[in-house]
Amino acid sequence: MTAPARVAITGAAGNIGYALAFRIAAGDMLGPDQPVILHLLEIPPALGALSGVTMELNDCAFPLLHGIVGTADTGEGFDGVDYALLVGAKPRGKGMERGDLIADNGKIFGPQGKAINDNASPDIRVLVVGNPANTNCLIAASSAPKLDRRQFTAMTRLDHNRAISQLAEKTSAHSTEIARMTIWGNHSATQYPDISNCTIEGAAAADRVDDGWYRETFIPKVQKRGAEIIGARGASSAASAASAAIDHVRTWVHGTPDGDWTSMGVAADGGYGIEEGIVFSRPVTCADGDYTVVPDLDISDFSRERMNATEAELREERAAVEDLL
Amino acid sequence: MTAPARVAITGAAGNIGYALAFRIAAGDMLGPDQPVILHLLEIPPALGALSGVTMELNDCAFPLLHGIVGTADTGEGFDGVDYALLVGAKPRGKGMERGDLIADNGKIFGPQGKAINDNASPDIRVLVVGNPANTNCLIAASSAPKLDRRQFTAMTRLDHNRAISQLAEKTSAHSTEIARMTIWGNHSATQYPDISNCTIEGAAAADRVDDGWYRETFIPKVQKRGAEIIGARGASSAASAASAAIDHVRTWVHGTPDGDWTSMGVAADGGYGIEEGIVFSRPVTCADGDYTVVPDLDISDFSRERMNATEAELREERAAVEDLL
């Protein structure tokens, strides 16, 4: 038997965690031949609910599930972990300033980064889902000096998938016919969903839609899709966020298809003129369990302006947590 | 491309429906090569929430998902459907008599059975999940005269999986090492989880546990597991129920492994001395998309007594809906 992979989920009794754990145990993330041991982390008040999630996971008799660790202790929670999905975060309270939100989350993701540094597998791959995801990822990576920054990524795959879905609907294409979608920047309303390199069945997507629709409808729709879901469901995106997290890790591990790429929030390395160090979503190809930023794309003036706006927001977020880095 | 299969889910915006839809779209039920079109049914007050579920499903850009029908109209909802998972049911209200609950659900499952009869694929397979599942299944099947009763089944796979999980935990085995678990009777607290034919790595399970534990701990634990989950989570089993529904259909379509069987609520045919016509969970093998009740098992006096108790409950339930059959 293949040795089980240890997969940690924080906020595991929350709505996204609940949608994630069962799909990972079913093999959707790491494949049908990879046994898993789930490490489910929660804050102490949620340990009762977490025990219910653990019971339900056991009740599924998943062939691939070889154990469950349920804990509020980050040392135990990240011990020997190969993949960490950092989902739990402090949500924005009523009247809360954005700066305070970022600082409060820093107090969660800093210690988690340190616990990962001290306890996890040296080859761990980390995906930050909890918002503000990019800056939480920056904080976690900064708190893990033994690890490479490339091991820490932030999720923009949900935005990427939403953008594909919107373009597919508009052009009556199937999502599988669309390639080279790109999300640049922050997982927030400043993100820039860019179709300038996008293809539909191999032909340029930009030729299939008019510029007005792209700028006035498509971009804001993707940027604000989270709020639209809340309006309809009365609850925030859970299953689609979980699905995107599964896609992100599966692609990272198993690779992007030939001729296509995906979007991941990764530490900027100076490429595309993006300030070094901030976690900025960019187009990447994945192979052999690693990612490579797609090089040498032409950036139009329109794109540059949008990239600058989301970069400015990420710089501000970083400034708000400077003392934690 | 393989033609998409049409899969209907009733109560699709509820907690079980929400856990089901994404896993089916991901290929967990019908396999990685079978495209699907989801037919999501809800009652009119839940159509707003259902539109949010539809948005989230689209936002996943699932390669296998080839369309979504969202509706409160059962004719449209079951039109051309190949698989129907009847999840939505009226829950027991405060102070409600059991007979009233059964009668109220009859008013849901009768018309659904008729709509399936009139609109679905003639080869449709139906799984009833909504409680009281066995009797709801009986009502639906009775309302579909064009179809074979064998096309209507009730879910006891959650009980089956729970029983395997409990036995695995007690004997430090993995769930995959346990075979030939049986759930007899009703999906209710009278169900009889029977380990007398069960094996663990090929050896008799009954030799690995003592009779007192089996009778006093195991049986009631499996029977009352639903209440235990509610106590811990503050919400009823959703993801594990969805997972069992996926297992039930997948096994029905793709078959049971050699030497093993599963449990399904199916129309009694007089075998094992069970009253003909009621929907009674029994051990079945599946092959070529059909099921066969496992014949000729020895039934001990203890087992007979337990089977009689759950049979008596199902006869009473049937009596309460006699006018609907």
Side-chain angles (χ1 to χ4, degrees):
Chain A
M1 189 186 82
T2 312
R6 292 180 181 272
V7 180
I9 304 170
T10 67
N15 292 329
I16 297 175
Y18 189 67
L20 260 177
F22 295 82
R23 289 195 57 197
I24 294 172
D28 287 3
M29 187 171 84
L30 297 174
D33 301 315
Q34 178 59 62
V36 293
I37 295 171
L38 289 175
H39 288 231
L40 306 179
L41 286 87
E42 261 300 351
I43 52 176
L47 286 178
L50 185 64
S51 75
V53 177
T54 299
M55 284 184 224
E56 279 205 79
L57 282 163
N58 284 323
D59 286 355
C60 292
F62 284 117
L64 291 173
L65 185 58
H66 279 250
I68 303 174
V69 176
T71 183
D73 179 274
T74 51
E76 184 188 6
F78 292 118
D79 190 27
V81 158
D82 302 292
Y83 303 91
L85 285 74
L86 307 185
V87 177
K90 183 163 178 174
R92 192 164 186 163
K94 218 174 167 177
M96 196 176 184
E97 295 289 332
R98 187 174 170 84
D100 291 337
L101 174 74
I102 292 168
D104 278 3
N105 273 290
K107 291 174 200 150
I108 297 171
F109 287 83
Q112 285 183 354
K114 185 173 183 326
I116 288 170
N117 183 75
D118 296 346
N119 297 282
S121 158
D123 298 320
I124 188 170
R125 289 178 181 83
V126 180
L127 167 62
V128 177
V129 175
N131 286 319
N134 296 50
T135 297
N136 289 342
C137 178
L138 176 65
I139 293 166
S142 301
S143 308
K146 280 198 317 199
L147 301 172
D148 193 312
R149 295 223 164 189
R150 295 174 59 81
Q151 293 174 260
F152 289 80
T153 61
M155 186 167 96
T156 53
R157 183 64 173 263
L158 179 55
D159 311 299
H160 181 94
N161 288 346
R162 286 168 169 170
I164 287 175
S165 169
Q166 289 301 321
L167 184 61
E169 189 186 328
K170 179 70 176 175
T171 60
S172 303
H174 190 265
S175 60
T176 48
E177 295 166 342
I178 294 178
R180 303 191 176 192
M181 180 62 73
T182 302
I183 305 293
W184 297 98
N186 201 1
H187 173 61
S188 76
T190 68
Q191 66 173 275
Y192 170 42
D194 174 12
I195 68 162
S196 56
N197 299 287
C198 218
T199 59
I200 304 176
E201 293 189 279
D207 296 345
R208 297 276 299 273
V209 296
D210 74 75
D211 223 44
W213 176 81
Y214 172 57
R215 296 184 185 202
E216 306 307 326
T217 303
F218 174 84
I219 293 177
K221 181 114 179 167
V222 174
Q223 288 171 331
K224 295 170 190 163
R225 182 68 161 177
E228 195 183 354
I229 301 287
I230 292 172
R233 280 190 71 224
S236 60
S237 311
S240 56
S243 200
I246 285 167
D247 288 348
H248 177 113
V249 175
R250 192 182 53 229
T251 301
W252 195 358
V253 174
H254 293 293
T256 38
D258 279 349
D260 199 3
W261 62 58
T262 190
S263 302
M264 285 168 57
V266 297
D269 54 6
Y272 291 111
I274 307 300
E275 168 91 352
E276 224 167 309
I278 58 173
V279 173
F280 197 90
S281 180
R282 286 175 294 166
V284 301
T285 53
C286 297
D288 305 319
D290 202 1
Y291 70 82
T292 306
V293 176
V294 177
D296 305 328
L297 296 172
D298 285 333
I299 306 294
S300 68
D301 290 346
F302 177 78
S303 289
R304 176 56 63 192
E305 198 182 298
R306 298 291 176 136
M307 288 162 70
N308 286 347
T310 193
E311 184 190 358
E313 185 182 50
L314 282 167
R315 286 176 191 243
E316 274 173 38
E317 289 188 12
R318 186 182 56 185
V321 294
E322 204 74 68
D323 55 320
L324 297 172
L325 303 180
Chain B
M1 191 187 78
T2 311
R6 292 180 182 271
V7 180
I9 304 170
T10 68
N15 292 329
I16 297 175
Y18 189 66
L20 260 177
F22 295 81
R23 289 195 58 197
I24 293 172
D28 287 4
M29 188 171 83
L30 297 174
D33 302 315
Q34 177 59 60
V36 293
I37 295 171
L38 289 175
H39 288 231
L40 307 179
L41 286 87
E42 260 301 353
I43 52 176
L47 286 178
L50 186 64
S51 75
V53 176
T54 299
M55 285 182 220
E56 279 205 79
L57 282 162
N58 284 323
D59 287 354
C60 292
F62 284 117
L64 291 172
L65 185 58
H66 279 250
I68 303 174
V69 176
T71 183
D73 179 274
T74 51
E76 184 188 7
F78 292 119
D79 190 28
V81 157
D82 302 292
Y83 302 92
L85 286 73
L86 307 185
V87 177
K90 183 162 177 176
R92 193 166 187 163
K94 219 174 167 177
M96 196 175 186
E97 295 290 330
R98 185 173 170 84
D100 292 338
L101 174 73
I102 292 169
D104 278 4
N105 273 291
K107 291 174 200 152
I108 299 172
F109 287 85
Q112 285 183 354
K114 185 174 184 322
I116 287 170
N117 183 74
D118 296 346
N119 298 281
S121 159
D123 298 320
I124 188 170
R125 289 179 180 82
V126 180
L127 168 62
V128 178
V129 175
N131 287 319
N134 296 50
T135 297
N136 289 341
C137 178
L138 176 65
I139 293 166
S142 302
S143 308
K146 279 199 317 199
L147 301 172
D148 193 312
R149 295 223 165 189
R150 295 174 59 82
Q151 293 174 260
F152 289 81
T153 61
M155 185 167 96
T156 52
R157 183 64 173 264
L158 179 54
D159 311 298
H160 181 95
N161 287 347
R162 285 167 170 170
I164 287 175
S165 170
Q166 289 301 321
L167 184 61
E169 188 186 328
K170 178 69 176 176
T171 60
S172 303
H174 191 265
S175 60
T176 48
E177 295 166 342
I178 295 177
R180 302 191 176 193
M181 180 62 73
T182 302
I183 305 293
W184 297 97
N186 201 1
H187 173 61
S188 77
T190 67
Q191 67 173 274
Y192 170 42
D194 175 10
I195 67 163
S196 57
N197 300 289
C198 217
T199 58
I200 304 175
E201 292 190 280
D207 295 346
R208 297 275 298 272
V209 296
D210 74 75
D211 224 42
W213 176 81
Y214 172 58
R215 295 184 185 201
E216 307 306 326
T217 302
F218 173 84
I219 292 176
K221 181 114 181 168
V222 174
Q223 289 172 330
K224 295 170 190 161
R225 182 66 161 178
E228 194 183 354
I229 301 286
I230 293 173
R233 282 190 68 224
S236 60
S237 311
S240 56
S243 199
I246 285 167
D247 288 349
H248 177 113
V249 175
R250 192 182 54 229
T251 300
W252 195 358
V253 175
H254 293 294
T256 38
D258 279 348
D260 199 3
W261 63 58
T262 189
S263 302
M264 284 169 58
V266 296
D269 54 6
Y272 290 111
I274 307 300
E275 168 91 353
E276 224 167 307
I278 58 173
V279 174
F280 197 90
S281 179
R282 285 176 293 166
V284 301
T285 53
C286 296
D288 305 319
D290 201 2
Y291 71 83
T292 306
V293 175
V294 177
D296 304 328
L297 296 173
D298 285 332
I299 305 295
S300 69
D301 290 346
F302 177 79
S303 290
R304 176 57 62 193
E305 198 182 299
R306 298 291 176 136
M307 287 161 72
N308 286 346
T310 193
E311 185 190 359
E313 186 183 49
L314 282 167
R315 285 176 190 242
E316 275 174 38
E317 289 187 12
R318 186 182 55 184
V321 293
E322 204 75 66
D323 55 319
L324 297 172
L325 302 180

